[in-house]
Each structure stands twice: as structure tokens, then as C-alpha cells.
Amino acid sequence: MTQSVVVQVGQCGNQIGCCFWDLALREHAAVNQKGIYDEAISSFFRNVDTRVVGDGGSISKGKICSLKARAVLIDMEEGVVNEILQGPLRDVFDTKQLITDISGSGNNWAVGHRVFGSLYQDQILEKLRKSAEHCDCLQCFFIIHSMGGGTGSGLGTFLLKMLEDEFPEVYRFVTSIYPSGEDDVITSPYNSILAMKELNEHADCVLPIDNQSLFDIISKIDLMVNSGKLGTTVKPKSLVTSSSGALKTQHKKPFDAMNNIVANLLLNLTSSARFEGSLNMDLNEISMNLVPFPQLHYLVSSLTPLYTLTDVNIPPRRLDQMFSDAFSKDHQLLRADPKHSLYLACALMVRGNVQISDLRRNIERLKPSLQFVSWNQEGWKTSLCSIPPVGHSHSLLALANNTCVKPTFMELKERFMRLYKKKLPFSLVTLSDIPIPHDLEQGVHFVACTRHFSFQISGRFL
Amino acid sequence: MPREIITLQCGQCGNQIGVEFWKQLCNEHNINPEGIIKNNNFLNEDRKDIFFYQADDEHFIPRALLFDLEPRVINSIQTSEYRNLYNPENMFISKEGGGAGNNWGSGYSQGHKVEEEIIDIIDREVDNSDNLEGFILSHSIAGGTGSGMGSYLLELLSDNYSKKIIQTFSVFPLLTNESSDVVVQPYNSILTLKRLILNTDSVVVIDNTSLNRIFVEKLKLNNPTFQQTNNIISNVMSATTTTLRYPGSMNNDMISLISSLIINPKCHFLVTSYTPITIDKHISNVQKTTVLDVMKRLLHTKNIMVSVPVRRGMYISILNIIRGETDPTQVHKGLQRIRDRKLVNFIKWNPASIQVTLAKQSPHIVSTHKVSGLMMANHTSISTLFERCVTQFDRLFKRRAFLENYKKEPMFSSSDGQGNFEEMEASKEITQNLIDEYKSAERDDYFNHTYL
């Protein structure tokens, strides 16, 4: 069984990471009734005997003593990480896995990437090596960060190059939160474009997620619940949208529900690699089957269901509804329109009591409304995991490599160009002491790259 | 003189159908999940020793070798009801535990890395048998481990044990134009096909598409589980070995089964058909089961477990294994009827007729049907299956799509980083040659061309 290490960078990354560890613990608690440290848990947690002084002797089998997350937490300001360490999850993290600074990156990619990158390079490398040593067989790094800020985008992408050099065999899955149109950070287009260049070159697979889509999903659910339309069939406090039953105190932070969705995405992505099922899918199979050419590695994700139904005995029609939902725009985590673009490949990862024939029937049903590239008409990858997520009887995660990411990136490019043409806001940007114009030149180079990138998609496959 | 057979199961699919196969065999021979005979009233009318060997403490242990590159499937076997049945030394799980990731190259090279260990395991089992006849491998050809490591195993077996028969039960992927289970299945399939063509003596083709169709149409079950599908596959697998385990007057060993079916060593891909198909309590609407009915039903397109157009093309050879209460005169009458009605389209260059073997039913299995039958046939339209594989392969390969991960493996890597795909092209060549071979087998003047 393989292990994965989660690297959470920046405020956004750490908040999502915190939700992720909370949900992961709850999921394993629900599945693992006997409290034995098995291989499923070992993919994300270490079993440590805290009585042993020093590194904490790792125990590989037997009862669970104390679980430590395989995570590295990085942030250039202390607020978020300190809050985690004072919260209920403090025992899950090893204090030796944290890297913090005081001042923060000031929403500046260059500060995150260049200044803090060079300052903390050795420390970060050491922590990563330590985490890798604790694993028998490290397969994947999950990096969680946002694109619009300073630390997440700058330092997060600096990490990628380092990981590629140091651990070339290990996959790098990046969950990137893209800024929405009404983002309050002025420099977010610059930060995003500069980070995109790094993602293009050094990541194996990127799951772009959009704040706006997450917000839309949450508001839709609130509407459903509050309007009382669905009445008793909807359990409003499902694990997907809230942390009810979690260890956190109940005062809800605004981004809580949104972070929960992203955390669920990561759990479902790895479920088939951790748990058993009739058609298993490991993490290396994701990039094998969904990435036809190395640069085209952006996967649009959509997740269903988003709220629980009290009806346990779901008749097939409801099951089919789950598949239809996965291909509707409401359940996507990125604002894009896949139905009017070309699919390069699509993966359906199902959890729970669903049979292969259900999957195939639904693929046949939905196929006519989806357009695949001519050379990969039957580009589907399916997987079945028998363990359902907590609180649901089954769930579906759809990952699509679709050319609909092109308009999203074009929009980002537009925002970048609008600012750049007016040379805004140089005043903010020249505060640091590195030649910023050089980096922005690189950004323009990336703009050329995106043009080439989108040309690549359109020219090659239409 | 018992001719033992060793089974190897490779990858998730191979292990899952292998497990069902052994369950079926245990039921037929009245062995409980611990490996002990339930009651010893029945004398040794059956030849358990072909598939099982007896340990010192009365346990019957299957001659089975389980291989996988990630631990989950074998672990679930080790925690299931049948955990004490298998010999734990015969289970091989790769230390790295990462699986092959649907990458044929990765499966193959990981197999190569642990060559010594695998040879040890196989040798030990071979030494355990007095007069080994051959090997049976169960695997799928679309994934990573079953196809990649399976290919490596086939090459290993044919190099080291060239005198032994090698048969495989190969699960072919969904080959419709609508969907697939694995995106890179064309690459994995073509690479494995080369080994199936060159390194095996016979291949029983099992096809996911047709199994699904049989469930929906015959059993009226709209969502069969993998458990149920594997159950049917295990029925077929055990039926193919019935005459070996319950010896009658003919076809008592593998070589006689194969020699009656395979005329040209290249054309060794067999389709199967089984009737009546029952799954637990679901019984398909079969009322009358005389020998003639069973034989006619076996020829129906809908019962054949490979989705090829049997109406076009010709049968090269057919073998029917009939189990149950039958009368040899009935068989004769049935064959006569089939010949009169011209229900079967045979090739013209060989005197061909349906061969029928009557086999004894296991006394331990209560069957609701008087007669059941299995047909194993060599039919030329199986080339359409390979044609579909080649078409899908061409489409992807022309664009050089999804090849990045293959380049990382030693077989496909090159110094300039562009990748060396001669192996893929060679495999495709060989498959195309086979398709042409089957096509020319439909012609009357087949023997006038030089073959082999």
C-alpha cells in the first residue's frame, strides 16, 4: 500500500488542509471499528507511540496509539497555523512538521517565491525528506494552495520545482484555488499567472477550483434547505457542507462549508486507492489515464451528492440522477462549460453500493450529450470503491480533462492584461527589493504560453 | 497417471475470477473452505489431485499461485472465508505495493525485477507435482498488472517450461464505441496480445461486454454485480476442466482437449458458450433440457460469451462438453439433427463436425437441470475482436497520446527522451498478421497457402 504526504501552503491551503484532516479522521473512524492500524489509515497517518521520547517511534501494526498526519504545514504568517495548533486537531500534527514566519508575503508572488523560497529552502527540504522517510512507499504529494495570494501561490509553486528535483518518481497533485472575478486581492491576476507557469511545468496533475463555484454550490444548498421544498428528504447538516459532528466549535467561519467541499474532493479522489473495491484505481492511474500530453493536465472536478437523503433504499432512478448531476454545471468545482467543449478523457470514481452495470448504463445514457475528441471516443476510466463516504450510501466524483478550461484561463489572462497594460499597481509591487519588472516579464512570457497552450488544444484536436 | 495443472492468477481481475474458480471447484469436490473434505463417503471417482494436493494433515491445498503488485485484493482473500485454503507461500505481493497503475510497461518491468522470486515460487509448485501437464493463467488484458506482469509470466513460462501446455483465461475489455473501463486499454491490450499469440497454446476469450448482455437479456437482471459476473466465469472455467477431473472415456487431459480444438497453432483463440445459466435463485427460462436442446442453445449467438458475429465467419472446430443424465444415442440424434438443419457453418478445408464429450456431474452439486452443456469453439470471426483492438490502438498511437508514462519504463525509454515504441508497433504487426490468418482460414483454399 502506498502513502501520500499533504503539503498545505498559505492561509487558504492550511484552512482547507485542516478540514481535510478532520474529515479523514472521521471517515477512518467510521470504517475502522476495531482500532487497528491498517494499511488504509497508513496512507495518510502514522501510528506513533508518544511515550517514546525523540522522534516518536513509529509502530507499523497493531492497535492505534496515536495518529500523526503525514502533512507539512507551511505559512509565512503565524495566525492560521497557530489557530490549528490550539484547536482540537493539535495532536494530529507533529510540531516538527511546521514552517512559519511572522510577516507574511503581502499577497505578492515574488515575495513568496523568491524571498521566502530561498530563505526556507533548506528547512522545507529537510521536513519533506523526513516525511518521505516515514513512508514505506511514498507515491504522491498533495499540494493545497490558492493562486491569488502570496504564500500559497509563490511559495507553493516554488515547492513544486523542489519536489520535482528531489523526488522525481513521486506524483505531484496540486489542488489550486483560483481567484474569482470579484476577488478582493488586487494583485491576484499577477500572482495567478505567475503561478500558472510553474504549475504548467512542474505539476503532474492540477485540480483547479474556483471560489465562485464553491460559493454558488453553498448558496444553492442553503436555498434548498431553507425553502423547505424537499422537506424531510434532505438532511441539511450533511458532512459535505458542514462540519457538524466535528471537533470544532460551532461558530461558523464563512469559508467553512466551501473548504469542506474541497476536502471531500480529496478524500473521494483517494478513496479507491485506500479502500477495497471491485475495481480499484490507484493514484498513478489518474495521470496515466487522464493526461494524454504532459502539459494538458488540468482536470475539472465535480462531486455528488452534496446533501444526504434520508431514503436509504435508493431506487435506480435516484442513482441515475447522481450521474446526471455530476455532469451538470451546478456540481462542478470550476466555472466552465464542459458540455460545449471537447473531452479528452473522463474518469468516474464511484463509492458505495453501486454496480459496474449501473456505471456502464449511465455512461451510455450520458454519452450522446458529451463530445469526445475524435481519437479517443471511448476515453472513460471507471473505478468502484465499496466503502461509501460517511453519511451517504454512495457518491460519485467525476474528473474530466476537458478543453473548457481554456476560457477560464483566457479570462484570467484578460484580467492580467488589463492590469499590466496600465502598469498597475506597481506601487504595491515594488515594495520588495527584487527587480519585479523581470518577474512580470516572465508573466508576459506566460501569457504567450497560455496562448500557445490554448492553441495547442484547439489546433491539435479539433 | 495424474497430469497436474498449476493455475496462476495475476492482477485484480485475475485474482477475483481465480477465487471464484476455486470456490466452484471446492463445491464440486465437497471440500470445505478450510480445505478438508466434508464427508468421506464418496470414493475417489474424481481426480482431485489434478488441481489440489494433499498436505500431511488431510488438508487439500490448491495448486494455485497468486500474484499482484498491490496488496488489497490478496489481503481481502487472506481475510475471507477461504483464507486457510491457499498456501500462503504461493501468494506474491510486490514489496513496493504501488500497483502497476494501468501501465503495461510498469507491470512488465516490475515482474522482471522480481524474476528470481517468481521462478522460485513456480519451481516449488512444479516440484510438488509428479507429472505436470501445464499451466492455466487467469488475468485481464486491459489493466496494468494482469496485462503487464501477466505477459511477463507467459514469457517466463514458455521459456522455462517449453514442453508444458499453457492455457489462459483472458478477460478482454469493453470494446464498444461508447465507453471503456480504462482509457489506455488499447495499448495494454495490443502489447498483451502479442504474448497471447506467441507464448500460449490456447486462449479462452472472456468478454465483459457479452457477459453484461447475457445478464440483461437472459437473466433479466439489470445490474449484475462483479460477484455474479465472476460466478458465471467460474462456471465456464470449471466446466472446461470437468473432463479432466471426472475422467470418462475421452478427453481426460488438457492435450486432448486442445488438440481437438486447435488445428493451426496460430489460431488458438477459443470462444465459449454455456447453458443453462443460473445465478443463485435467478433461473433463466429454460424448461426442456434434452441433449439436442442444449446443443442447439449452445450455438445461439446470444449465449456465446464473446461479442463476435458468429453468423458471419465459420467454425473451425467445436467441442461440446455435456454434463448430466444423458444417453449416448441422444447425442447421435442431436448431431444428426444439427447437420441436417445446417445450423453450423464449418470451414471447408477440413472434415469438421461437432465433437461431443459426456462428462459426469459432480455428485455434490444439486442441479435443477437435467442436462447442462459447455461449448468451446474455434471461430474465425474472433478476428473482429482483434480488429477493434487494433483500430482503437491506431487512433491513439497516431496522436502519440498517453505515451508519457510508458516512456518512463525501460522497455519504452530512449536516450533522447522521445521514447522507443518499436515494441508497440511490433505487437500491432503480429496482431494484424493473426487477423489476416483468420480471414484466410475462411477461404476454401486455405491449405494451399503456406501457413505457420
Side-chain angles (χ1 to χ4, degrees):
Chain A
M1 185 69 105
T2 54
Q3 287 85 34
S4 314
V5 172
V6 175
V7 185
Q8 27 196 91
V9 193
Q11 174 182 19
C12 174
N14 277 297
Q15 282 175 335
I16 296 180
C18 195
C19 279
F20 169 75
W21 291 112
D22 186 15
L23 287 183
L25 279 172
R26 259 189 292 165
E27 185 173 81
H28 281 285
V31 172
N32 192 337
Q33 303 287 342
K34 296 189 196 142
I36 307 263
Y37 182 69
D38 62 6
E39 287 180 338
I41 296 191
S42 80
S43 57
F44 279 118
F45 295 94
R46 289 189 296 140
N47 190 13
V48 168
D49 189 353
T50 42
R51 291 170 296 179
V52 175
V53 176
D55 203 0
S58 284
I59 313 171
S60 49
K61 283 195 167 84
K63 282 199 99 46
I64 295 177
C65 255
S66 162
L67 288 175
K68 292 281 178 205
R70 296 189 199 275
V72 179
L73 288 75
I74 303 178
D75 199 359
M76 294 297 109
E77 50 177 15
E78 296 180 314
V80 181
V81 175
N82 277 345
E83 205 180 321
I84 297 178
L85 289 179
Q86 282 156 13
L89 287 174
R90 59 180 168 275
D91 290 327
V92 173
F93 298 107
D94 201 339
T95 45
K96 295 189 224 80
Q97 293 160 297
L98 313 169
I99 298 180
T100 52
D101 197 298
I102 307 176
S103 46
S105 304
N107 282 331
N108 189 327
W109 181 90
V111 172
H113 193 100
R114 298 301 173 82
V115 176
F116 287 121
S118 51
L119 208 54
Y120 286 98
Q121 184 173 12
D122 294 326
Q123 270 195 52
I124 295 178
L125 207 53
E126 198 214 306
K127 309 261 186 241
L128 289 171
R129 279 203 201 117
K130 214 36 183 299
S131 311
E133 271 168 38
H134 286 306
C135 301
D136 290 324
C137 174
L138 178 61
Q139 190 177 49
C140 187
F141 281 108
F142 282 100
I143 294 139
I144 313 178
H145 71 141
S146 70
M147 301 284 278
T151 310
S153 73
L155 194 53
T157 46
F158 176 76
L159 264 181
L160 281 177
K161 177 89 176 50
M162 220 163 50
L163 288 173
E164 188 177 3
D165 290 333
E166 186 71 18
F167 304 97
E169 303 284 316
V170 181
Y171 287 90
R172 296 169 290 284
F173 270 79
V174 187
T175 310
S176 307
I177 312 292
Y178 278 70
S180 54
E182 305 88 39
D183 199 42
D184 47 5
V185 176
I186 302 179
T187 49
S188 63
Y190 289 149
N191 295 334
S192 310
I193 294 284
L194 291 165
M196 278 285 281
K197 173 169 175 288
E198 303 292 317
L199 283 183
N200 235 17
E201 292 175 16
H202 303 300
D204 280 319
C205 203
V206 179
L207 299 161
I209 299 175
D210 189 332
N211 261 335
Q212 189 60 40
S213 323
L214 291 177
F215 191 67
D216 286 340
I217 292 176
I218 300 291
S219 15
K220 212 161 279 159
I221 294 175
D222 279 340
L223 201 65
M224 283 271 177
V225 169
N226 292 335
S227 74
K229 244 198 281 185
L230 294 170
T232 49
T233 57
V234 178
K235 262 199 232 150
K237 290 202 180 297
S238 93
L239 275 185
V240 180
T241 54
S242 78
S243 1
S244 58
L247 303 165
K248 289 206 233 172
T249 50
Q250 284 303 59
H251 71 266
K252 281 206 184 164
K253 288 187 261 180
F255 287 105
D256 235 9
M258 292 160 66
N259 293 344
N260 251 302
I261 296 184
V262 183
N264 264 297
L265 164 73
L266 284 175
L267 275 182
N268 284 347
L269 189 71
T270 53
S271 63
S272 191
R274 289 176 288 141
F275 299 116
E276 56 178 29
S278 43
L279 195 56
N280 293 336
M281 177 159 145
D282 272 322
L283 296 165
N284 43 8
E285 294 176 29
I286 295 180
S287 80
M288 182 77 192
N289 285 294
L290 293 175
V291 179
F293 303 97
Q295 288 223 323
L296 306 180
H297 56 238
Y298 294 84
L299 306 179
V300 178
S301 47
S302 64
L303 196 56
T304 66
L306 294 168
Y307 45 83
T308 35
L309 304 165
T310 53
D311 190 350
V312 179
N313 216 352
I314 311 241
R317 203 184 74 82
R318 297 262 184 91
L319 194 64
D320 288 2
Q321 186 59 34
M322 185 172 79
F323 284 89
S324 309
D325 283 341
F327 285 95
S328 82
K329 281 202 266 189
D330 295 337
H331 289 250
Q332 263 167 237
L333 298 176
L334 180 71
R335 277 225 301 222
D337 190 6
K339 284 203 173 166
H340 293 113
S341 315
L342 281 182
Y343 277 87
L344 300 172
C346 185
L348 294 176
M349 306 176 66
V350 186
R351 297 180 69 171
N353 189 14
V354 183
Q355 303 307 334
I356 187 73
S357 44
D358 292 322
L359 258 176
R360 296 210 183 118
R361 187 184 64 237
N362 278 291
I363 293 179
E364 269 184 47
R365 186 173 61 91
L366 293 165
K367 179 80 200 305
S369 60
L370 307 169
Q371 293 164 17
F372 273 75
V373 268
S374 59
W375 44 266
N376 196 13
Q377 282 288 322
E378 52 297 297
W380 295 88
K381 166 77 185 150
T382 54
S383 88
L384 289 172
C385 174
S386 24
I387 313 276
V390 184
H392 300 252
S393 62
H394 42 68
S395 78
L396 168 67
L397 167 67
L399 291 173
N401 194 343
N402 189 310
T403 57
C404 67
V405 291
K406 175 176 148 195
T408 315
F409 295 157
M410 298 284 279
E411 202 193 303
L412 198 59
K413 189 188 98 177
E414 287 307 306
R415 278 192 270 154
F416 174 92
M417 291 311 284
R418 255 181 281 149
L419 278 185
Y420 189 61
K421 280 207 185 94
K422 303 205 178 141
K423 298 277 196 274
L424 286 175
F426 258 120
S427 52
L428 280 176
V429 148
T430 46
L431 276 177
S432 75
D433 47 19
I434 346 161
I436 291 302
H438 168 68
D439 283 318
L440 284 176
E441 290 304 315
Q442 269 198 328
V444 176
H445 165 68
F446 176 72
V447 165
C449 275
T450 29
R451 221 175 270 142
H452 165 70
F453 173 66
S454 46
F455 179 69
Q456 223 186 12
I457 303 180
S458 52
R460 233 176 170 156
F461 309 118
L462 289 175
Chain B
M1 158 99 68
R3 310 281 332 260
E4 293 95 349
I5 295 179
I6 296 179
T7 49
L8 296 90
Q9 12 193 109
C10 193
Q12 177 174 22
C13 175
N15 277 302
Q16 281 175 330
I17 63 180
V19 159
E20 292 295 316
F21 171 65
W22 285 109
K23 228 185 264 185
Q24 180 83 8
L25 283 194
C26 284
N27 286 343
E28 287 192 10
H29 292 284
N30 207 21
I31 299 176
N32 73 3
E34 299 289 314
I36 305 180
I37 294 220
K38 286 184 206 160
N39 55 358
N40 233 332
N41 290 341
F42 296 92
L43 301 168
N44 280 346
E45 288 175 347
D46 57 4
R47 297 247 290 272
K48 293 190 206 47
D49 48 358
I50 294 188
F51 283 98
F52 295 88
Y53 64 90
Q54 215 169 353
D56 296 336
D57 54 351
E58 308 276 304
H59 272 105
F60 275 94
I61 302 181
R63 297 184 202 275
L65 305 175
L66 292 76
F67 296 97
D68 204 350
L69 293 174
E70 53 121 15
R72 274 173 295 170
V73 183
I74 296 192
N75 277 351
S76 67
I77 297 176
Q78 285 170 330
T79 51
S80 75
E81 202 187 348
Y82 284 81
R83 62 182 166 280
N84 291 330
L85 180 69
Y86 301 96
N87 180 357
E89 285 177 348
N90 285 352
M91 300 193 191
F92 173 79
I93 305 177
S94 158
K95 285 193 197 56
E96 284 159 31
N102 281 167
N103 185 338
W104 184 96
S106 170
Y108 190 88
S109 58
Q110 286 191 57
H112 191 65
K113 252 187 259 179
V114 289
E115 186 176 358
E116 293 293 322
E117 265 189 79
I118 296 182
I119 292 186
D120 272 341
I121 295 178
I122 300 179
D123 273 343
R124 198 174 358 97
E125 202 56 49
V126 169
D127 287 337
N128 211 346
S129 50
D130 295 323
N131 189 3
L132 178 70
E133 182 172 18
F135 300 92
I136 293 183
L137 170 72
S138 70
H139 66 143
S140 72
I141 69 170
T145 308
S147 69
M149 192 177 181
S151 303
Y152 182 71
L153 285 174
L154 287 174
E155 287 183 354
L156 196 71
L157 289 174
S158 67
D159 282 339
N160 292 352
Y161 301 97
S162 49
K163 292 265 189 323
K164 308 292 179 196
I165 296 182
I166 301 177
Q167 181 177 60
T168 74
F169 286 90
S170 305
V171 178
F172 277 59
L174 273 185
L175 283 168
T176 63
N177 277 336
E178 297 289 309
S179 68
S180 60
D181 283 327
V182 174
V183 178
V184 291
Q185 71 192 25
Y187 291 141
N188 295 339
S189 309
I190 291 284
L191 287 163
T192 316
L193 268 173
K194 174 181 169 208
R195 275 80 187 168
L196 290 180
I197 296 171
L198 297 178
N199 300 76
T200 64
D201 294 305
S202 93
V203 176
V204 175
V205 177
I206 301 169
D207 172 2
N208 266 334
T209 332
S210 54
L211 285 174
N212 208 42
R213 181 187 25 90
I214 289 178
F215 263 99
V216 170
E217 292 178 13
K218 295 223 84 87
L219 294 173
K220 311 280 182 244
L221 267 182
N222 273 334
N223 37 351
T225 62
F226 261 132
Q227 180 91 2
Q228 290 168 321
T229 326
N230 292 346
N231 207 329
I232 291 194
I233 298 179
S234 74
N235 272 340
V236 170
M237 283 170 79
S238 72
T240 53
T241 56
T242 309
T243 51
L244 311 173
R245 293 175 290 115
Y246 292 95
S249 52
M250 43 189 271
N251 289 1
N252 293 337
D253 48 7
M254 241 168 133
I255 186 75
S256 55
L257 278 177
I258 291 184
S259 57
S260 47
L261 282 169
I262 295 171
I263 299 176
N264 171 2
K266 259 203 178 165
C267 303
H268 58 248
F269 290 80
L270 307 173
V271 302
T272 52
S273 166
Y274 188 75
T275 186
I277 300 192
T278 61
I279 294 290
D280 306 331
K281 310 241 177 7
H282 296 269
I283 303 180
S284 61
N285 276 341
V286 174
Q287 306 294 10
K288 209 161 143 221
T289 49
T290 65
V291 174
L292 171 63
D293 283 317
V294 165
M295 289 207 287
K296 273 201 297 190
R297 233 171 252 125
L298 286 174
L299 292 168
H300 278 178
T301 322
K302 297 226 172 93
N303 275 331
I304 296 198
M305 293 186 179
V306 183
S307 29
V308 286
V310 283
R311 293 256 172 262
R312 293 174 240 154
M314 308 169 175
Y315 280 97
I316 298 180
S317 54
I318 299 183
L319 171 68
N320 281 349
I321 301 178
I322 311 276
R323 287 199 278 199
E325 307 158 19
T326 54
D327 185 6
T329 51
Q330 290 278 327
V331 171
H332 215 67
K333 265 199 225 158
L335 286 177
Q336 188 91 12
R337 270 285 198 69
I338 290 178
R339 207 174 304 138
D340 290 340
R341 296 234 198 116
K342 294 207 184 17
L343 287 174
V344 180
N345 192 7
F346 272 108
I347 36 93
K348 306 278 185 292
W349 40 264
N350 200 36
S353 67
I354 302 180
Q355 302 167 62
V356 181
T357 309
L358 299 175
K360 300 196 195 93
Q361 193 122 293
S362 159
H364 310 286
I365 297 213
V366 176
S367 167
T368 48
H369 301 270
K370 281 199 308 181
V371 186
S372 66
L374 168 84
M375 174 178 86
M376 292 170 77
N378 200 340
H379 195 284
T380 57
S381 70
I382 198 148
S383 59
T384 56
L385 198 68
F386 305 144
E387 271 171 10
R388 269 182 266 157
C389 275
V390 170
T391 321
Q392 283 189 356
F393 171 87
D394 272 338
R395 258 188 271 149
L396 277 185
F397 193 60
K398 233 194 322 185
R399 301 285 185 160
R400 296 287 188 272
F402 298 103
L403 287 177
E404 209 43 45
N405 284 310
Y406 286 96
K407 281 188 208 165
K408 295 184 193 158
E409 300 303 326
M411 190 178 257
F412 302 108
S413 62
S414 68
S415 44
D416 62 355
Q418 287 304 314
N420 167 16
F421 295 107
E422 284 175 11
E423 181 66 28
M424 289 205 184
E425 291 173 6
S427 307
K428 185 200 144 184
E429 274 298 308
I430 294 183
T431 313
Q432 191 61 47
N433 284 345
L434 181 70
I435 295 174
D436 295 334
E437 188 74 31
Y438 269 110
K439 287 238 168 67
S440 62
E442 293 179 4
R443 300 156 57 146
D444 292 347
D445 54 352
Y446 180 48
F447 269 163
N448 296 342
H449 296 243
T450 50
Y451 66 92
L452 241 188

